[in-house]
Structure formats: structure tokens, C-alpha cells
Amino acid sequence: VDESELLTVPDGWKEPAFTREDNPKGLLEESSFATLFPKYREAYLKECWPLVQKALSEHYVNATLDLIEGSMTVTTTKKTFDPYAIIRARDLIKLLARSVPFEQVFRILQDDVACDIIKIGSLVRKRDTFIKRRGRLLGPKGSTLKALELLTNCYIMVQGNTVSALGPFSGLKEVRKVVLDTMKNIHPIYNIKTLMIKRELSKDPELRSQSWERFLPKFKRKNLKKRKEPKNKNTKKEYTPFPPPQPESQVDKELASGEYFLKERQKKRKRVAEIKAKQADAIKKRQEERNKAFIPPKEKPIAKTKKASTEKKIDIEAIKEKVKNAKKKKLGALPVEEVKLKIAADEKKKKKK
């Protein structure tokens, strides 16, 4: 037998169900699991709890609901023969606590169905960014989540800080990858495109044993936003061991100009002269601004139009032709040939009469 045939699983093959004949003596010890549920789930759990007990009783597992403590507990009995039934019952109560409806939850008791609870609350620091990325996973009117459910054959529930998935093992693996990538700011549409291509490739039996890398798209991450540069850049000056020179004080300035040695009366007179000089400059500038309105704008010079040249080239040959035509026929009279024909016609009419 060829090795490739041994490695592949035949189509439609299923593992046989675990029955009482496989474990006739049952379990030695009693196992139990408990989980808490939020207050808003109390009314729904109270309503659907008889259905939960009925579904678990088929696998000989007891279920109790404690509304005072807000907890659900599942325990094995003496009749329980499947050791993995208690693990499935534990997943069932976990999913019920995570707001997954019972219509989907009871599927966990099947052999080929598993569940995965992905915690996404601690993957993003900022709360606003987390809400945006979680909304991106849902898509407009839940379209992205619906597409993901169809491609992976899983039921996905996004609630609070967790994402609950329920379905086959291969689908759960893809769901986890998409959810974690979305929280890392990779849009789910890229993963959905890859899943669609994989779905089509899996239908071809020849490509099952080959690598699919050449068919899958490779998306490059582009960072289009450039870092904004500050308006005022702080340029580092060259290091000097000496301190900067001390700024001059008012006394130093007066000593340098010689004002320090003047009398108080002379200082006052100088200050008044400076103020008057400043006022005179300001008045002069203001007057210039006012006079600008009375200065006429410069007129553009009138462009002289070129006189049309009266001299035209005379076509002598054309004039000769016109003269010849004029000689042949007189203005206002019929041509000679037409006149002769008319006279001949008149003569014929007279003869007939």
C-alpha cells in the first residue's frame, strides 16, 4: 500500500462513539466543576435550566443551579461511563455563563464539536482602541462575523472582553488566529480572503498533498502616515566648558554711553527729547499712510494699433479674365448666342400664324 494513502483519512470516516461496553465498570471517583455567572443571565438560565438537565442526564451527569450564590455546578454520578462527559459539561456551563444561547451550547456534547474562549480584554491598552477593533471583528451589521462563521463552520459570540467560539477543531484554530490578528490591528478581511482561497483549494484532491503557499496572498503592511515634525526644533549647540557672558546691567549701559555722569535735569531733558523724536517718527509714518490713498495709480501705456496694410498684391491675370468676360456680354443684356436663338424662335411663330 502506498504511504500517502495510509497518511490520508478517508472521506466520511468518523471515530466510533464511546459506549458503555468500552467502560462497563464506570468511574472510580466523583468529579465536579462549578462556574459563576453574571446577574443579567439569571432570568435566561432559570428558564432554560430544565433543558440543560435533560441534555446532561443522557450522559448521566447532574447539574445544579444556585441562584443565591450565582453559580452552576456539574457532577458525575455512579452511572457515568464516559470520562470525558464531565469535561464537555464543564464547557457547557462556561458557554452559558458567556451569553451563548442554549440552542448552540448543547452541540458541545457531540464528539466532533469543541469550544474555545478567547480573552481579548488585556490585548489592547486603550479602551477606545479596544472598542474600535472589537467592532471591526463584528463588521457592519455583523457581516464580517457572519462571513467568518460560514468559512470556519463555527458559532462565534463576541461578548464583553471575551470571544466564545463553538465548532470543529480546525475551525476553532482559524477563529483564534483571526481574533488575535484583529486585536493586533490586522483587518479581518485579509484572513477571510485567505480562508476563502483555502476552502476552494481543499476541494481539489490533487492539491491536498502539496504546499499552498504559492496560491495564498501575501499582504505587506504599509505605514503610510509619516511622523509629524515639530515646528520649533531644538538644535543642540556645541559644548563649551566656559559659561555664557554675563548680560550688561542698566548701570553698565549708562556708563558706556556716558549718561551715568549727567545730572538728573539733563537726563530728564534727554528722555523728553527721545520721546518727542519717537512721536515725530510715528506722526510722519501715519501721514504717509494717509497720503497713499490720494496718490493716483500708474496708468498703463496705450498700445498703438498697427494700421492694416492698404497695399495688396494685385493679381493681373484675374483682372484680364474679368475684362474678357465683360467684353463677351454687356451688363444687363443677354449674351449674343441667346439673342440669336430668341430671334429665330420669334420668326418661326410668325410664319405659323
Side-chain angles (χ1 to χ4, degrees):
V1 182
D2 191 12
E3 286 185 6
S4 61
E5 289 181 12
L6 293 171
L7 291 170
T8 55
V9 178
D11 292 332
W13 180 85
K14 281 188 178 181
E15 193 175 344
F18 194 86
T19 58
R20 186 171 284 281
E21 293 172 6
D22 297 317
N23 186 17
K25 293 183 180 180
L27 306 175
L28 293 171
E29 293 289 334
E30 186 185 282
S31 301
S32 65
F33 290 100
T35 185
L36 299 171
F37 60 86
K39 184 75 176 173
Y40 67 87
R41 290 290 288 168
E42 189 177 310
Y44 181 78
L45 290 172
K46 196 175 178 182
E47 189 182 338
C48 73
W49 197 250
L51 297 170
V52 174
Q53 286 179 324
K54 188 182 176 183
L56 290 174
S57 64
E58 292 175 8
H59 297 268
Y60 304 102
V61 176
N62 283 338
T64 53
L65 177 69
D66 193 344
L67 295 171
I68 296 164
E69 288 184 5
S71 66
M72 293 179 282
T73 312
V74 286
T75 52
T76 56
T77 59
K78 290 178 181 180
K79 289 183 180 180
T80 309
F81 61 88
D82 188 359
Y84 201 73
I86 189 67
I87 303 296
R88 290 205 186 96
R90 179 201 65 183
D91 292 340
L92 185 142
I93 58 172
K94 268 189 182 180
L95 291 168
L96 281 171
R98 297 281 176 187
S99 300
V100 181
F102 178 75
E103 289 80 7
Q104 295 291 337
V105 167
F106 82 95
R107 286 170 54 212
I108 196 71
L109 300 171
Q110 298 170 14
D111 288 337
D112 57 344
V113 179
C115 74
D116 190 9
I117 294 166
I118 308 154
K119 292 178 181 178
I120 57 172
S122 59
L123 297 174
V124 184
R125 286 184 183 179
K126 291 182 181 177
R127 185 70 184 168
D128 295 341
T129 312
F130 168 74
I131 291 162
K132 279 181 185 176
R133 289 181 189 176
R134 188 180 63 181
R136 196 181 293 168
L137 185 64
L138 292 165
K141 296 180 182 178
S143 57
T144 307
L145 197 69
K146 190 70 182 172
L148 201 60
E149 284 180 352
L150 291 167
L151 289 166
T152 56
N153 296 322
C154 293
Y155 174 80
I156 305 163
M157 182 76 184
V158 181
Q159 179 74 14
N161 294 334
T162 58
V163 177
S164 307
L166 185 76
F169 293 97
S170 58
L172 292 174
K173 188 181 175 183
E174 295 293 345
V175 169
R176 179 170 274 273
K177 184 182 179 297
V178 173
V179 170
L180 294 176
D181 282 354
T182 306
M183 288 296 126
K184 289 175 187 173
N185 202 21
I186 298 167
H187 204 280
I189 194 69
Y190 300 123
N191 286 309
I192 286 167
K193 279 185 180 179
T194 308
L195 286 170
M196 287 171 77
I197 293 163
K198 281 182 180 178
R199 191 180 184 183
E200 292 300 317
L201 291 169
S202 63
K203 291 174 184 177
D204 193 349
E206 291 179 6
L207 294 169
R208 282 183 184 177
S209 58
Q210 294 179 18
S211 177
W212 293 349
E213 283 295 319
R214 65 181 190 273
F215 300 111
L216 300 176
K218 292 174 183 177
F219 301 106
K220 289 181 181 179
R221 194 169 183 179
K222 292 180 181 179
N223 191 9
L224 298 173
K225 285 185 179 179
K226 290 182 180 178
R227 186 176 170 273
K228 289 182 180 178
E229 293 182 358
K231 286 183 179 178
N232 302 322
K233 290 183 181 179
N234 296 326
T235 53
K236 284 188 177 181
K237 294 176 182 177
E238 291 182 6
Y239 174 73
T240 52
F242 307 105
Q246 194 174 0
E248 287 185 348
S249 64
Q250 191 67 28
V251 177
D252 293 337
K253 287 175 183 178
E254 285 179 1
L255 284 167
S257 62
E259 194 181 339
Y260 184 79
F261 303 103
L262 295 172
K263 291 179 182 179
E264 190 64 38
R265 200 184 301 162
Q266 290 172 328
K267 285 180 183 178
K268 194 174 182 180
R269 203 180 296 146
K270 193 179 180 183
R271 267 188 251 117
V272 170
E274 284 175 359
I275 290 163
K276 282 183 178 179
K278 280 182 181 179
Q279 284 176 349
D281 287 341
I283 289 162
K284 193 179 179 182
K285 283 180 182 178
R286 207 179 300 130
Q287 198 66 37
E288 284 174 1
E289 287 291 326
R290 284 175 182 174
N291 291 337
K292 275 183 184 178
F294 300 103
I295 297 166
K298 288 182 179 179
E299 292 182 1
K300 291 180 182 178
I302 299 163
K304 291 180 180 179
T305 54
K306 291 181 180 179
K307 290 180 180 179
S309 58
T310 52
E311 294 176 3
K312 290 180 181 178
K313 290 181 180 180
I314 300 163
D315 194 355
I316 297 163
E317 293 296 325
I319 293 164
K320 283 180 180 179
E321 283 291 323
K322 281 182 180 180
V323 170
K324 280 180 183 179
N325 292 332
K327 281 179 181 178
K328 286 179 183 177
K329 58 178 181 179
K330 292 176 182 179
L331 292 169
L334 293 168
V336 179
E337 292 174 359
E338 285 184 18
V339 171
K340 285 178 180 178
L341 289 167
K342 203 171 184 182
I343 292 162
D346 290 337
E347 285 177 357
K348 281 180 182 179
K349 283 179 183 179
K350 282 179 183 180
K351 284 176 182 179
K352 284 178 183 177
K353 286 179 181 180

